[in-house]
Amino acid sequence: MLPYSTVIFDLDGTLLDTLQDLADSVNYVLSQHQMPTRTLDEIRRFVGNGVGLLLHRAVSAGTSPQLEAQCLAEFRAHYTDHMADHTAPYPGVLALLDSLAQAGVRTAVVSNKFDGAVKGLCRRYFGDRIPVAIGESQGVARKPAPDTVFRALAQLEADAGGTAYVGDSEVDIQTARNAGLPCLSVSWGFRDAALLEKNGAQRIFSSPAALQAFLLHGQCDEFRP
């Protein structure tokens, strides 16, 4: 018997390396308004809580709410046109998803990225491998609230009791906890193992192959706090 019949994934930093495209769109907007641009490491620290907070952290201190809202709208437009310039699945991710599908494991993505981008990126890079993809939208609380997780489970017609949550950040750890799911953390994304451990990670995997071995066979030679 498989350890889990359903796996819900975070997107950015877990399945897709989106960092460069996020940084490029942020810095495009900052440059348009004569604000200092941000480094890739700064953007890495800023992501995880939705694009609204990403832009809030990136704009200059003292930026008015009106200008910040304008910057957010400009970011959304630019990112929609450029979100696949450099983005790609992490090595081993497609093999992981294929192996889960072949084993009959149901999969979904829940993300704090805006819903149109989540669905578009999942279609582009994963096709039928990810049948349910849910992002930030009006009326649904974003992570770490469990709402998007519960919505994904409903669309998959899946039981929470057989579900694992996979993510790369402290937000994902909190989301899994709030949803009552075990969290399988990955350290190949936007946060390192030390930060994940500090935030209460249950298990930390350094590669999709190691995660695959655990999800399909219960084998785990990786870090376990």
Side-chain angles (χ1 to χ4, degrees), residues 86-119:
H86 303 285
T87 288
Y90 287 101
V93 159
L94 294 183
L96 165 64
L97 295 177
D98 285 340
S99 69
L100 293 177
Q102 291 166 7
V105 177
R106 292 168 288 194
T107 56
V109 158
V110 296
S111 172
N112 278 343
K113 187 191 294 290
F114 57 96
D115 191 63
V118 172
K119 288 178 167 55

Side-chain angles (χ1 to χ4, degrees), residues 13 44 167-170 173 183-207 221-225:
R44 185 191 306 274
D168 73 304
S169 75
E170 66 278 14
I173 294 169
C183 185
L184 309 180
S185 297
V186 304
S187 60
W188 62 74
F190 296 167
R191 305 289 193 270
D192 61 24
L195 187 144
L196 294 169
E197 180 182 1
K198 181 179 178 181
N199 282 273
Q202 298 169 320
R203 292 183 184 270
I204 302 174
F205 298 86
S206 62
S207 71
D221 296 325
E222 296 282 301
F223 176 82
R224 180 176 182 178

Side-chain angles (χ1 to χ4, degrees), residues 2-10 105-110 146 148-154 156-166 175-177 179-184 202 214-215:
L2 293 170
Y4 301 101
S5 58
T6 304
V7 181
I8 297 179
F9 291 94
D10 171 55
V105 177
R106 292 168 288 194
T107 56
V109 158
V110 296
T148 51
V149 173
F150 294 152
R151 178 169 288 196
L153 289 172
L156 289 172
E157 298 182 348
D159 180 4
T163 300
Y165 182 96
V166 177
T175 301
R177 184 180 300 125
L181 302 179
C183 185
L184 309 180
Q202 298 169 320
F214 179 72
L215 289 173

